[in-house]
Structures are given as C-alpha cells and as structure tokens.
Amino acid sequence: AQSVTQLGSHVSVSEGALVLLRCNYSSSVPPYLFWYVQYPNQGLQLLLKYTSAATLVKGINGFEAEFKKSETSFHLTKPSAHMSDAAEYFCAVSANSGGSNYKLTFGKGTLLTVNP
Amino acid sequence: DAGVTQSPTHLIKTRGQHVTLRCSPISGHKSVSWYQQVLGQGPQFIFQYYEKEERGRGNFPDRFSARQFPNYSSELNVNALLLGDSALYLCASSFFMSGVGTDTQYFGPGTRLTVL
C-alpha cells in the first residue's frame, strides 16, 4: 500500500518569493509520483510526474520537483511565485504493485496563497 | 482537442435518492477512473474501468457502481444517497492501463453533488 503526506495545509508566500510545497510518500515498491494543481471550481491539472528517469523533474509553469529516495520526498518548488500560482496543490503516488498501478493515492492538499 | 467532459456540472439531490453522473474521456483514451473529493480533502479512488471491464475498486460501499460503454464513456451511479455523499466527483481518463503505472490520468472538471 502507498500513502502521501503533504506537510502544511496552507502555505503563504509573497509574489516573487520561492515556493516550496512539501510531499513525503510511503510505498513498498518503487513509486511513481505526481503533482496536480486545482484552481477553484475546476478539476485537476497535471504539473509534473516522476517515473524513475531523472530525479529532477521539470513541469509546467516553471515548477519542478526532486525525487529523493533516501528522504522519501518529492517536494515541489518554483523560484519566483506569481499571483496566478494561487491554487490548491496535490501530491499523488501510484505504484506498480500487484495490479494496483491504476490507482492514484492523493495527499490532503496544500493551499498556496500568493500575496502582492 | 476536447478534454475530459463531465455532466452535469452541479446536482442537488435529497437523501435516499439515486444519482447518475456521466463522463466522456479524451478521444483515444480507453481507461476511465472515478474519484470522490470531499471538501478540504484530496480525491479518493472509487473505480477504474478499462476496455469496458472493472479493473479496480476503492473502499466504497456497494451503493456505488459504474460502467463503461463501447465508446469508452462511463457512468457512475450512487444509490440511496447519504448526506456524506456530498462531494466533487472527478472523472479521469488515460490512454491505456499499462503494467507500469506511469500513464498520466487527465481529469475532468468534476460534478458537484449536494445531498440535502
């Protein structure tokens, strides 16, 4: 079984500041990791995914995440926050384990607020 | 290209009623998954269908059922609605269900169900 913990249900940054959203995972087999963003009253949009190739993954809108196996982490970063980044961010894991690879297991989400 | 579409957008029902939610996947996608997102939480996996067969089921009661049609669209049915079924129901499609769990799931905008 796999699980995801997102540290901090709410993160507030100033426009132009570094964005750091934390995600730790638990998986008994090598995981596949995803970050999704959800704007108000919308579905989920994929930001980036890790599939065991490069450990540093670049996504859309200037976001990137680094897979650290030793720390079981997959934190999301962006060097400079923009007002349009304000949204809820979800980390998710799937794993190639006994046919359960179809299922995404999500964290509880982190609401990002960007202050002018 | 059209993304994942869901209908209706919003729905209000009373306890004990039945509801049917619909989803059309991205053209060419053969796999559809359903997720329930309760306010303030991450999405929870309900079902996955591939080639019209159920391939996975989450920890939901038998009141929840689904099916996939020959054109790969899908319906989620919920019987005997409870107040706790109030949530955003998300549909996601992917090209196919490989054995490595890396297929990206693309989400629709969701159906907001309110049970009174």
Side-chain angles (χ1 to χ4, degrees), chain A residues 53-74:
Chain A
T55 57
L56 182 62
V57 181
K58 295 187 183 298
I60 62 171
N61 300 338
F63 284 94
E64 63 181 36
E66 185 172 8
F67 174 72
K68 292 187 176 180
K69 183 178 179 181
S70 61
E71 299 177 8
T72 60
S73 69
F74 190 58

Side-chain angles (χ1 to χ4, degrees), chain B residues 7-8 15-16 23 35 40 46 49-50 54 57 63 68-69 75 82 84 99 108 112-113:
Chain B
S7 63
R15 283 177 296 175
C23 170
Y35 292 81
I46 310 176
Y49 276 77
Y50 176 66
E54 180 183 308
R57 171 186 284 257
R63 299 185 296 107
Q68 187 177 31
F69 298 99
E75 283 183 354
L82 303 174
R112 174 75 61 189
L113 172 65

Side-chain angles (χ1 to χ4, degrees), chain A residues 6 8-12 21 38 86-89 109-113:
Chain A
Q6 292 185 239
S9 59
H10 188 193
V11 170
S12 182
L21 304 182
Q38 186 175 36
E88 186 138 30
Y89 292 78
T110 297
L111 180 64
L112 175 66
T113 302

Side-chain angles (χ1 to χ4, degrees), chain B residues 3-11 13 18-25 32-35 65-69 71-78 89-92 107-113:
Chain B
V4 177
T5 59
Q6 293 186 242
S7 63
T9 305
H10 295 87
L11 204 52
K13 293 284 188 179
H18 163 90
V19 68
T20 297
L21 311 180
R22 296 178 174 83
C23 170
S24 292
V32 169
S33 298
W34 287 95
Y35 292 81
S65 64
R67 55 179 175 168
Q68 187 177 31
F69 298 99
N71 66 354
Y72 302 108
S73 66
S74 177
E75 283 183 354
L76 175 69
N77 295 283
V78 186
Y89 288 85
L90 295 164
C91 173
F107 285 81
T111 293
R112 174 75 61 189
L113 172 65

Side-chain angles (χ1 to χ4, degrees), chain A residues 32 34 36 38 41-46 49-51 88 90 94-96 99 101-109, chain B residues 33 35 37 40-43 45 48 55-57 88 90 97-109 112:
Chain A
Y32 302 103
F34 305 78
Y36 284 86
Q38 186 175 36
N41 299 314
Q42 294 189 25
L44 302 175
Q45 180 184 8
L46 180 71
K49 67 178 183 180
Y50 166 76
T51 58
E88 186 138 30
F90 292 94
S94 70
N96 185 15
N101 51 33
Y102 48 80
K103 181 177 80 169
L104 287 173
T105 300
F106 287 86
K108 292 186 176 181
Chain B
S33 298
Y35 292 81
Q37 185 179 17
Q41 301 291 321
F45 172 76
Q48 198 233 15
R55 300 301 182 103
R57 171 186 284 257
L88 180 67
L90 295 164
M97 191 181 78
S98 75
V100 295
T102 62
D103 299 320
T104 298
Q105 295 191 32
Y106 297 89
F107 285 81
R112 174 75 61 189

